[in-house]
Amino acid sequence: MTDITEHTAARPRAEFLHRFSVRDAGTLIGLVVILAVFGVLVPGFFAERNLINILQQSSINACLALGMTLVIISGGIDLSVGPTAALSAVISASMLVAGVPFPLAIAAGFAIGLVCGLLNGVLVAYVGLQPFIVTLGTLSTYRALALIYTGGNPVLGLPAGFRAIFNGSLFGLPLAVIIVAVVALIAWIILKKTPFGEYLLAVGGNEEAAYIAGVPIARTKIAAYMISGLLAALAAQILIGRLGAAEPILGNLWELDAIAAAAIGGASLMGGKGSVVGTILGAVILGTMRNGLTLMNVQSFYQLLATGLIILAAMLIDRVTRGRG
Amino acid sequence: MTDITEHTAARPRAEFLHRFSVRDAGTLIGLVVILAVFGVLVPGFFAERNLINILQQSSINACLALGMTLVIISGGIDLSVGPTAALSAVISASMLVAGVPFPLAIAAGFAIGLVCGLLNGVLVAYVGLQPFIVTLGTLSTYRALALIYTGGNPVLGLPAGFRAIFNGSLFGLPLAVIIVAVVALIAWIILKKTPFGEYLLAVGGNEEAAYIAGVPIARTKIAAYMISGLLAALAAQILIGRLGAAEPILGNLWELDAIAAAAIGGASLMGGKGSVVGTILGAVILGTMRNGLTLMNVQSFYQLLATGLIILAAMLIDRVTRGRG
Amino acid sequence: SADLAPLNSDTEKDRIDWSQLEAKFGAFPKLPDGTKAGAVSKTLTNEYWRSLGEGYKSFGDRVAVPVVYQAAQSEGDQLGQLTIAEGLVTQGYNVLLVSPQTDSNLQPIMEQAKAANVPVVNVNDAVIPQAEHYVGNVQRDNGVRVAKWFIKNRPDGGKVAIVEGQAGVYAAVQRTDGFKTTITEAGKFEVVASVPGNWDRQTSYDAATNILQQHPDLIGFYANNDGMALGIVEAVKAAGLQDKVAVFGTDGISDAYASIRAGELTGTVDSFPVLTGEVALESALRLVAGQKLPRVVATPQALITKDNADRYSGAGDAVRKALLEDAATGN
Amino acid sequence: MSVISRLQFKGISKVFPAVRALSDVSFSVGAGEIHGLLGENGAGKSTLLRILSGVYRPTAGSVLIDGRPVMLNNPVAARAAGVAMIHQELQQVPRLSVAQNMFLGHPLTRGGIFVARREQERRAAEALAALDPTIDPAAPLGSLKVAQRQIVEIARALLDRARIVAMDEPTSSLTPSEFKRLAEVIARLARDGVAVVYVSHKLDEVFGICQRATIMRDGVVVGSVDLAQVSEKAVVSMMVGRELAQEQHRSHASSEVRLSVRCLASATKVRDVSFDLHRGEVLGIAGLVGSGRTELLRLLAGADRASSGTVEIDGKAVKLSNPRDAIAAGIGLVPEERKREGIVPLRSISNNMALASMGVFAPRGVIDHTRLKRVAAEKMKRVNLRPFLLDRPIRLFSGGNQQKAIIGRWLAAGTRILLFDEPTRGIDVGAKAEIYHLIEELAAEGNSVVVVSSELPEVIRLADRVLVMRDGTVAAELDRADLNEQAIAAHAIPQSETQAGKAQGHRAGA
Ligand SMILES: Nc1ncnc2c1ncn2[C@@H]1O[C@H](COP(=O)(O)OP(=O)(O)OP(=O)(O)O)[C@@H](O)[C@H]1O
Ligand SMILES: Nc1ncnc2c1ncn2[C@@H]1O[C@H](COP(=O)(O)OP(=O)(O)OP(=O)(O)O)[C@@H](O)[C@H]1O
Ligand SMILES: [Mg+2]
Ligand SMILES: [Mg+2]
């Protein structure tokens, strides 16, 4: 009923938390159910090509959601990922169009992401403002900067060579998917195997205790926001590679998808809790849903309805699975 | 620097928290600064007509933000206020157009708001899902229902009598402003004077302690979401009265403004903290800013920039004032 | 006036084509001293609305009328736009040009402006039912024109798909409906998908990828705006189907022209925002001068493909000339 | 004693996943009886009382009140059945006032609509009067010190006029004089026929006020005894299942100065504190609540910043601007408020232990989990963690075992100067002896230890030397030879009434 009894009910899984967690298994079951439903309803849904499509279409959200997961674990939230990506995209793109060498232009894009994250982090960690409202403020600010920088116009004509970097494929998988898989692996290692990961969990779990234990609170939080900014920048590079254009309005509402993926994957917005595997599964759930609904040619109002209901259903399935776990 | 030292520094003011809070004074100073700046920059800014405009333009956001404040205090968040308002609006409006008596149509709109809130509340309190993700799901769901119900078309031709209810003025103030002022007064009384207000603070402040003390956790949370839904419905009635039409896409992005107002006013998204006076001031700050920037004829990209920066600045001013408080 | 029937800009009888203004109402009249115009549009994040503003400005410059042009911070910011419009009313502009986010969000302006005796011109897109003056094109016609292209150039018919704008937005609904109805009535075509793209390039790219994967034999896409169409073009290229699938957008932004010239985007329906802006301001100022214009002033649009792109993309006057010719020939 | 007991536990079992916290617990408490409940950390005392107060439901068994079985499905039901409970962990809402907290969940109202604040405050003041009249019922609870918060918690249980009052370590943060006032209150309750269940690790308290006691070990009742008939030693051996050797104080202090503090002051409370701490020394710090001991330790641990003064370690000046500086300098703090400042609840024992020494476990940037597990096993064995489940989230452990993990944290970090703030608060006699032993071992290994404690016997038992703090500064320094409770108390108590008022100024509120 209440959280108290919930805790009591949820306890068994605690033992397994450090292995493949029951929580992740819950998310996986959610995904399997959704896959099964679409598999039945949509002919050709399980075609290799379509499955690859789903992965590719989930990759950008997954990339953002990984950064979001780290921020959420640290007890924060990053609403500014979309505009960060947009700013990074238009600056990289305009450098590329101006003939700057690819590595430099990409590095500049990443630097923008890091700086955006740094600013968020500093306002949260040093100035002590609330993460939600800080990133709500920078959401507008970064978007405005991107618009002002470009005058509102998309930056077109990205060099083919640059686009090839992110558009290729390896072992039959789109490079974007592979890049994000590598990022996920790194995020998993960070969270499970490094002091920084431990610090994130501690800061989000009990900031005061972490402080007394010598955890560098501010640096940990700032690093989380910077990673989130960096991954937003990476997502931006992947996207402009794919679309061949960088728009200042790119990344609209990305934050909601990223948060949804992290939350479906088990991250708690109260901090101290979250899973890389879960987040990836969450992103794939959302991607699968969009893909399946499009293939079913569901009318747009009903797609919106389905989106809402599936988010709720994913959380419910997960809740029920955990209850049994 | 970090939150830890903040806590230490913040202790003295604790004594005053239950009177006119220093925190609210901080928000008030923020508002005064912004008013002063615009007063200097914009001729005629302090014209009575313009000040009334500011209040009127802030009233809808203030109405939503009051509900949001209660939900935030209870440790939750309600992202679904905009679609709740839309659903309430189109249903009331279509009843009005069909000739249903005003009180009945308005009551139906309020009932929709309550039901939307109830569903959010039940999913949060009984099923134990995270508020952010629940209301993200219902955000899409309610919007979709409003679109499906109307086929995406606006409901036009509301009876003049109905519009007069919300469009009149009293003592030279628009009725909408007066209605919201009354709502604010009621919210203030609820929060400061009733057991329910205490329960909200307790549930958001320390849920376990509240449970052990016998606070009805689930009922308290559900009531908060229902009030938020009801106030969204009220905002919808005010708006359709003003517009003379109800659209299914009404209320887009309302949640962000409402959250911003509550946060500027001192609500903590961690729960257990928030102020009715602060929220009203927060809504007026946002309204003033929009009004002033428009009168200064600032280009929209720079308006966006200013919006972001002013949210950050309001939080900073507040932070500094509190530091001194 | 209260007995004014709700406006349907596409079907209103009391209308005049933009090319007829001078012929019917004479040369541009003299204006009261100090006339200034205020304009508010949806958003500046879309080139279409920026171009409209350029049109206002260029005509304003020509007749020495200062124009203030504002826009909401984002598409869909309904109350923000209302705030801006209310600010313009209180600031004493002689005429207002508004491009509302929705059919009703600027409704209060109509009454306030009336009280202040300021004419209001509804320019394009969403239609305020009580509007006394409307300048713009026929939204439905955007989709109709593209459908006609398919009927003419793909006589064998085939599968087509639509990528829609934001669910429930007037322009998106009308354009989609125009295309869908016209092409379905032609008989040989099948609309296999009509899915939301939310005015967003990435969403449209993903949607197009999925549709192409399911219907590799698709012959064409119609997108409710050019940004989405350009996203679809990339998806089509990525699927290696650029020779088989025709892609159409709407609006005629400069990037669309560039893409058409490069042989990627098949076409777009240009509604000539700069010219629309000029015509809108001209009409508005004629109202200020006391002329009684018909309720709707229709502005031009044209289906742009590689063949005719140059004709419609020259300097302002050249385009105006070409469009006047079109009007004369009834195109 | 009546035939029908006021309270009877009948065959209560409680199984948590992986832990059997209680098996077949039965005993009874008569009306007007003050019944001690004793046992080591994790014996199941709190679990039993939480069942009594409706927070947990028993796996098996029943609770009888006045001979009738009662359904205690939630805290509200327990209240209705006449049970009031003082929880081990403070269950309060810092932002609400003292009175609001006391009446939380069942506020007094005017006309059933408005909270009757005045009336609540008046009644709260009445309940507080007997315990600590200086607490302002209108003050926000968050502004109170822990000890006062605990008093509020006790006073809350008195409001109800309950038939049964369960007290789970009510005095863990209280001083002996505060206990004395509580004892009077409890005696009054007993006179009114209330059955009191009293849990404490302080055996002298239990022997002082209880007639009978039930002793538990590992979830089962070892026996119920008449306290007039048994010795403390016998009770202790029942609790721990073996004889506890009475250890004597042994000093390992050398003359080498490890830590030298000069004229240290903080912005809020501490002023002009100077002392030396030697290698191998255990320095006790005594003083009244609010005398600034916690704050002094926080300055040394880098948790708060000093406004002036110097700290030298091994003759070198160190800057302690945050806990990391302190840890790097070899200083570690075992904090007073374990739940708030000690543990990261969702993380395991191992992870909580390793938190302060991540660098050690991740020499190449990646955590060596094998090594971490090994060290955790070793340290936790040394502190005798129970149950010995290193991967279990720490929040599921009893308070005493949480404390052990925190001590293990500094053992793992190789800290040379350990600061203990109330190290045995809420910790059982067995574990207490273990911790004392541990502290001596640490000193013998050449570490330096500071122990802040409100329990004078503890200070006397452990310290080579004692600083008595009063009003933020060192009032006296007592060598081992001069140590006794009277001497400490004499220096700790303010000289005059006016100063007393000042020292407790923050309590008085208005
Ligand atoms: N919610 C829970 N889930 C799992 N195990 C629990 C839970 N609560 C308590 N336990 C376990 O039950 C046992 C008894 O704990 P309890 O808190 O009752 O001990 P205690 O006697 O009160 O100890 P202390 O003196 O330290 O307070 C311990 O092993 C503890 O780890
Ligand atoms: N939460 C707080 N709010 C206000 N003042 C505080 C708070 N905590 C500490 N102080 C101030 O610091 C002073 C010293 O407190 P400190 O905790 O150091 O005392 P202590 O001797 O350790 O007492 P205790 O044994 O209760 O911990 C207090 O008297 C008070 O003035
Ligand atoms: Mg206990
Ligand atoms: Mg202390």
PDB file of all heavy atoms in Angstrom, chain A residues 294-316:
ATOM      1  N   THR A 294       4.167   3.175 -35.763  1.00  0.00           N
ATOM      2  CA  THR A 294       4.267   3.700 -37.120  1.00  0.00           C
ATOM      3  C   THR A 294       3.941   2.604 -38.134  1.00  0.00           C
ATOM      4  O   THR A 294       3.206   2.816 -39.090  1.00  0.00           O
ATOM      5  CB  THR A 294       5.685   4.232 -37.388  1.00  0.00           C
ATOM      6  OG1 THR A 294       6.010   5.169 -36.374  1.00  0.00           O
ATOM      7  CG2 THR A 294       5.772   4.892 -38.741  1.00  0.00           C
ATOM      8  N   LEU A 295       4.527   1.420 -37.887  1.00  0.00           N
ATOM      9  CA  LEU A 295       4.288   0.326 -38.831  1.00  0.00           C
ATOM     10  C   LEU A 295       2.811  -0.056 -38.863  1.00  0.00           C
ATOM     11  O   LEU A 295       2.288  -0.473 -39.886  1.00  0.00           O
ATOM     12  CB  LEU A 295       5.133  -0.892 -38.455  1.00  0.00           C
ATOM     13  CG  LEU A 295       6.637  -0.707 -38.619  1.00  0.00           C
ATOM     14  CD1 LEU A 295       7.361  -2.006 -38.315  1.00  0.00           C
ATOM     15  CD2 LEU A 295       6.978  -0.228 -40.023  1.00  0.00           C
ATOM     16  N   MET A 296       2.150   0.084 -37.741  1.00  0.00           N
ATOM     17  CA  MET A 296       0.726  -0.227 -37.713  1.00  0.00           C
ATOM     18  C   MET A 296      -0.094   0.917 -38.289  1.00  0.00           C
ATOM     19  O   MET A 296      -1.318   0.840 -38.364  1.00  0.00           O
ATOM     20  CB  MET A 296       0.259  -0.506 -36.286  1.00  0.00           C
ATOM     21  CG  MET A 296       0.721  -1.843 -35.766  1.00  0.00           C
ATOM     22  SD  MET A 296       0.284  -2.013 -34.026  1.00  0.00           S
ATOM     23  CE  MET A 296      -1.493  -2.092 -34.151  1.00  0.00           C
ATOM     24  N   ASN A 297       0.602   2.006 -38.642  1.00  0.00           N
ATOM     25  CA  ASN A 297      -0.073   3.175 -39.194  1.00  0.00           C
ATOM     26  C   ASN A 297      -1.207   3.656 -38.293  1.00  0.00           C
ATOM     27  O   ASN A 297      -2.299   3.956 -38.739  1.00  0.00           O
ATOM     28  CB  ASN A 297      -0.607   2.866 -40.595  1.00  0.00           C
ATOM     29  CG  ASN A 297      -1.076   4.140 -41.292  1.00  0.00           C
ATOM     30  OD1 ASN A 297      -0.639   5.241 -40.936  1.00  0.00           O
ATOM     31  ND2 ASN A 297      -1.966   3.987 -42.243  1.00  0.00           N
ATOM     32  N   VAL A 298      -0.898   3.702 -37.028  1.00  0.00           N
ATOM     33  CA  VAL A 298      -1.887   4.189 -36.076  1.00  0.00           C
ATOM     34  C   VAL A 298      -2.041   5.690 -36.268  1.00  0.00           C
ATOM     35  O   VAL A 298      -1.054   6.408 -36.422  1.00  0.00           O
ATOM     36  CB  VAL A 298      -1.427   3.879 -34.643  1.00  0.00           C
ATOM     37  CG1 VAL A 298      -2.354   4.522 -33.628  1.00  0.00           C
ATOM     38  CG2 VAL A 298      -1.361   2.384 -34.431  1.00  0.00           C
ATOM     39  N   GLN A 299      -3.246   6.154 -36.251  1.00  0.00           N
ATOM     40  CA  GLN A 299      -3.510   7.572 -36.442  1.00  0.00           C
ATOM     41  C   GLN A 299      -2.902   8.366 -35.297  1.00  0.00           C
ATOM     42  O   GLN A 299      -2.764   7.878 -34.188  1.00  0.00           O
ATOM     43  CB  GLN A 299      -5.028   7.780 -36.506  1.00  0.00           C
ATOM     44  CG  GLN A 299      -5.431   9.129 -37.054  1.00  0.00           C
ATOM     45  CD  GLN A 299      -6.139   9.951 -36.021  1.00  0.00           C
ATOM     46  OE1 GLN A 299      -6.832   9.401 -35.172  1.00  0.00           O
ATOM     47  NE2 GLN A 299      -5.959  11.250 -36.074  1.00  0.00           N
ATOM     48  N   SER A 300      -2.525   9.624 -35.617  1.00  0.00           N
ATOM     49  CA  SER A 300      -1.646  10.315 -34.685  1.00  0.00           C
ATOM     50  C   SER A 300      -2.243  10.488 -33.297  1.00  0.00           C
ATOM     51  O   SER A 300      -1.539  10.373 -32.305  1.00  0.00           O
ATOM     52  CB  SER A 300      -1.221  11.657 -35.265  1.00  0.00           C
ATOM     53  OG  SER A 300      -2.327  12.503 -35.394  1.00  0.00           O
ATOM     54  N   PHE A 301      -3.542  10.725 -33.195  1.00  0.00           N
ATOM     55  CA  PHE A 301      -4.120  10.872 -31.858  1.00  0.00           C
ATOM     56  C   PHE A 301      -3.968   9.573 -31.071  1.00  0.00           C
ATOM     57  O   PHE A 301      -3.676   9.577 -29.880  1.00  0.00           O
ATOM     58  CB  PHE A 301      -5.614  11.216 -31.933  1.00  0.00           C
ATOM     59  CG  PHE A 301      -5.916  12.487 -32.669  1.00  0.00           C
ATOM     60  CD1 PHE A 301      -7.207  12.781 -33.051  1.00  0.00           C
ATOM     61  CD2 PHE A 301      -4.914  13.403 -32.961  1.00  0.00           C
ATOM     62  CE1 PHE A 301      -7.512  13.961 -33.718  1.00  0.00           C
ATOM     63  CE2 PHE A 301      -5.201  14.589 -33.639  1.00  0.00           C
ATOM     64  CZ  PHE A 301      -6.503  14.859 -34.024  1.00  0.00           C
ATOM     65  N   TYR A 302      -4.175   8.478 -31.773  1.00  0.00           N
ATOM     66  CA  TYR A 302      -4.108   7.196 -31.080  1.00  0.00           C
ATOM     67  C   TYR A 302      -2.672   6.814 -30.781  1.00  0.00           C
ATOM     68  O   TYR A 302      -2.388   6.096 -29.826  1.00  0.00           O
ATOM     69  CB  TYR A 302      -4.846   6.118 -31.883  1.00  0.00           C
ATOM     70  CG  TYR A 302      -6.340   6.368 -31.899  1.00  0.00           C
ATOM     71  CD1 TYR A 302      -6.938   7.107 -32.900  1.00  0.00           C
ATOM     72  CD2 TYR A 302      -7.134   5.911 -30.848  1.00  0.00           C
ATOM     73  CE1 TYR A 302      -8.285   7.390 -32.885  1.00  0.00           C
ATOM     74  CE2 TYR A 302      -8.491   6.177 -30.823  1.00  0.00           C
ATOM     75  CZ  TYR A 302      -9.075   6.914 -31.844  1.00  0.00           C
ATOM     76  OH  TYR A 302     -10.415   7.189 -31.813  1.00  0.00           O
ATOM     77  N   GLN A 303      -1.746   7.305 -31.609  1.00  0.00           N
ATOM     78  CA  GLN A 303      -0.335   7.079 -31.280  1.00  0.00           C
ATOM     79  C   GLN A 303       0.017   7.758 -29.976  1.00  0.00           C
ATOM     80  O   GLN A 303       0.729   7.224 -29.134  1.00  0.00           O
ATOM     81  CB  GLN A 303       0.568   7.643 -32.391  1.00  0.00           C
ATOM     82  CG  GLN A 303       0.817   6.657 -33.487  1.00  0.00           C
ATOM     83  CD  GLN A 303       2.170   6.869 -34.158  1.00  0.00           C
ATOM     84  OE1 GLN A 303       3.113   7.353 -33.543  1.00  0.00           O
ATOM     85  NE2 GLN A 303       2.264   6.477 -35.403  1.00  0.00           N
ATOM     86  N   LEU A 304      -0.480   8.984 -29.833  1.00  0.00           N
ATOM     87  CA  LEU A 304      -0.219   9.716 -28.610  1.00  0.00           C
ATOM     88  C   LEU A 304      -0.808   8.949 -27.427  1.00  0.00           C
ATOM     89  O   LEU A 304      -0.163   8.788 -26.387  1.00  0.00           O
ATOM     90  CB  LEU A 304      -0.863  11.096 -28.733  1.00  0.00           C
ATOM     91  CG  LEU A 304      -0.433  12.167 -27.753  1.00  0.00           C
ATOM     92  CD1 LEU A 304       1.043  12.438 -27.879  1.00  0.00           C
ATOM     93  CD2 LEU A 304      -1.215  13.450 -28.034  1.00  0.00           C
ATOM     94  N   LEU A 305      -2.023   8.457 -27.628  1.00  0.00           N
ATOM     95  CA  LEU A 305      -2.674   7.683 -26.577  1.00  0.00           C
ATOM     96  C   LEU A 305      -1.833   6.458 -26.228  1.00  0.00           C
ATOM     97  O   LEU A 305      -1.557   6.177 -25.058  1.00  0.00           O
ATOM     98  CB  LEU A 305      -4.062   7.251 -27.061  1.00  0.00           C
ATOM     99  CG  LEU A 305      -4.942   6.510 -26.057  1.00  0.00           C
ATOM    100  CD1 LEU A 305      -5.311   7.425 -24.907  1.00  0.00           C
ATOM    101  CD2 LEU A 305      -6.206   5.985 -26.720  1.00  0.00           C
ATOM    102  N   ALA A 306      -1.403   5.755 -27.274  1.00  0.00           N
ATOM    103  CA  ALA A 306      -0.620   4.541 -27.047  1.00  0.00           C
ATOM    104  C   ALA A 306       0.685   4.870 -26.333  1.00  0.00           C
ATOM    105  O   ALA A 306       1.117   4.147 -25.430  1.00  0.00           O
ATOM    106  CB  ALA A 306      -0.345   3.844 -28.373  1.00  0.00           C
ATOM    107  N   THR A 307       1.311   5.978 -26.718  1.00  0.00           N
ATOM    108  CA  THR A 307       2.559   6.358 -26.061  1.00  0.00           C
ATOM    109  C   THR A 307       2.343   6.506 -24.565  1.00  0.00           C
ATOM    110  O   THR A 307       3.088   5.961 -23.750  1.00  0.00           O
ATOM    111  CB  THR A 307       3.066   7.716 -26.603  1.00  0.00           C
ATOM    112  OG1 THR A 307       3.057   7.660 -28.023  1.00  0.00           O
ATOM    113  CG2 THR A 307       4.458   8.012 -26.113  1.00  0.00           C
ATOM    114  N   GLY A 308       1.307   7.246 -24.212  1.00  0.00           N
ATOM    115  CA  GLY A 308       1.023   7.444 -22.797  1.00  0.00           C
ATOM    116  C   GLY A 308       0.734   6.128 -22.101  1.00  0.00           C
ATOM    117  O   GLY A 308       1.308   5.818 -21.054  1.00  0.00           O
ATOM    118  N   LEU A 309      -0.118   5.335 -22.699  1.00  0.00           N
ATOM    119  CA  LEU A 309      -0.518   4.094 -22.048  1.00  0.00           C
ATOM    120  C   LEU A 309       0.656   3.132 -21.932  1.00  0.00           C
ATOM    121  O   LEU A 309       0.786   2.429 -20.930  1.00  0.00           O
ATOM    122  CB  LEU A 309      -1.677   3.450 -22.819  1.00  0.00           C
ATOM    123  CG  LEU A 309      -2.987   4.257 -22.773  1.00  0.00           C
ATOM    124  CD1 LEU A 309      -4.071   3.563 -23.593  1.00  0.00           C
ATOM    125  CD2 LEU A 309      -3.449   4.447 -21.323  1.00  0.00           C
ATOM    126  N   ILE A 310       1.517   3.123 -22.936  1.00  0.00           N
ATOM    127  CA  ILE A 310       2.629   2.164 -22.864  1.00  0.00           C
ATOM    128  C   ILE A 310       3.639   2.574 -21.799  1.00  0.00           C
ATOM    129  O   ILE A 310       4.205   1.725 -21.105  1.00  0.00           O
ATOM    130  CB  ILE A 310       3.271   1.975 -24.245  1.00  0.00           C
ATOM    131  CG1 ILE A 310       2.299   1.159 -25.110  1.00  0.00           C
ATOM    132  CG2 ILE A 310       4.602   1.240 -24.136  1.00  0.00           C
ATOM    133  CD1 ILE A 310       2.805   0.817 -26.472  1.00  0.00           C
ATOM    134  N   ILE A 311       3.857   3.872 -21.642  1.00  0.00           N
ATOM    135  CA  ILE A 311       4.741   4.288 -20.548  1.00  0.00           C
ATOM    136  C   ILE A 311       4.165   3.791 -19.226  1.00  0.00           C
ATOM    137  O   ILE A 311       4.864   3.194 -18.399  1.00  0.00           O
ATOM    138  CB  ILE A 311       4.896   5.825 -20.520  1.00  0.00           C
ATOM    139  CG1 ILE A 311       5.737   6.278 -21.719  1.00  0.00           C
ATOM    140  CG2 ILE A 311       5.544   6.289 -19.218  1.00  0.00           C
ATOM    141  CD1 ILE A 311       5.931   7.776 -21.791  1.00  0.00           C
ATOM    142  N   LEU A 312       2.860   4.009 -19.052  1.00  0.00           N
ATOM    143  CA  LEU A 312       2.232   3.548 -17.812  1.00  0.00           C
ATOM    144  C   LEU A 312       2.293   2.032 -17.696  1.00  0.00           C
ATOM    145  O   LEU A 312       2.614   1.489 -16.638  1.00  0.00           O
ATOM    146  CB  LEU A 312       0.777   4.028 -17.750  1.00  0.00           C
ATOM    147  CG  LEU A 312       0.588   5.550 -17.649  1.00  0.00           C
ATOM    148  CD1 LEU A 312      -0.879   5.914 -17.707  1.00  0.00           C
ATOM    149  CD2 LEU A 312       1.221   6.095 -16.377  1.00  0.00           C
ATOM    150  N   ALA A 313       2.028   1.360 -18.823  1.00  0.00           N
ATOM    151  CA  ALA A 313       2.024  -0.102 -18.785  1.00  0.00           C
ATOM    152  C   ALA A 313       3.407  -0.645 -18.464  1.00  0.00           C
ATOM    153  O   ALA A 313       3.561  -1.586 -17.671  1.00  0.00           O
ATOM    154  CB  ALA A 313       1.532  -0.656 -20.114  1.00  0.00           C
ATOM    155  N   ALA A 314       4.438  -0.037 -19.058  1.00  0.00           N
ATOM    156  CA  ALA A 314       5.796  -0.515 -18.802  1.00  0.00           C
ATOM    157  C   ALA A 314       6.103  -0.414 -17.311  1.00  0.00           C
ATOM    158  O   ALA A 314       6.684  -1.323 -16.710  1.00  0.00           O
ATOM    159  CB  ALA A 314       6.802   0.295 -19.607  1.00  0.00           C
ATOM    160  N   MET A 315       5.694   0.703 -16.709  1.00  0.00           N
ATOM    161  CA  MET A 315       5.951   0.861 -15.284  1.00  0.00           C
ATOM    162  C   MET A 315       5.141  -0.150 -14.470  1.00  0.00           C
ATOM    163  O   MET A 315       5.621  -0.673 -13.468  1.00  0.00           O
ATOM    164  CB  MET A 315       5.591   2.288 -14.839  1.00  0.00           C
ATOM    165  CG  MET A 315       6.392   3.380 -15.499  1.00  0.00           C
ATOM    166  SD  MET A 315       8.176   3.250 -15.238  1.00  0.00           S
ATOM    167  CE  MET A 315       8.316   3.808 -13.548  1.00  0.00           C
ATOM    168  N   LEU A 316       3.927  -0.404 -14.926  1.00  0.00           N
ATOM    169  CA  LEU A 316       3.080  -1.341 -14.188  1.00  0.00           C
ATOM    170  C   LEU A 316       3.616  -2.764 -14.266  1.00  0.00           C
ATOM    171  O   LEU A 316       3.704  -3.450 -13.255  1.00  0.00           O
ATOM    172  CB  LEU A 316       1.650  -1.298 -14.745  1.00  0.00           C
ATOM    173  CG  LEU A 316       0.773  -0.173 -14.193  1.00  0.00           C
ATOM    174  CD1 LEU A 316      -0.546  -0.115 -14.938  1.00  0.00           C
ATOM    175  CD2 LEU A 316       0.536  -0.364 -12.709  1.00  0.00           C
TER     176      LEU A 316
END
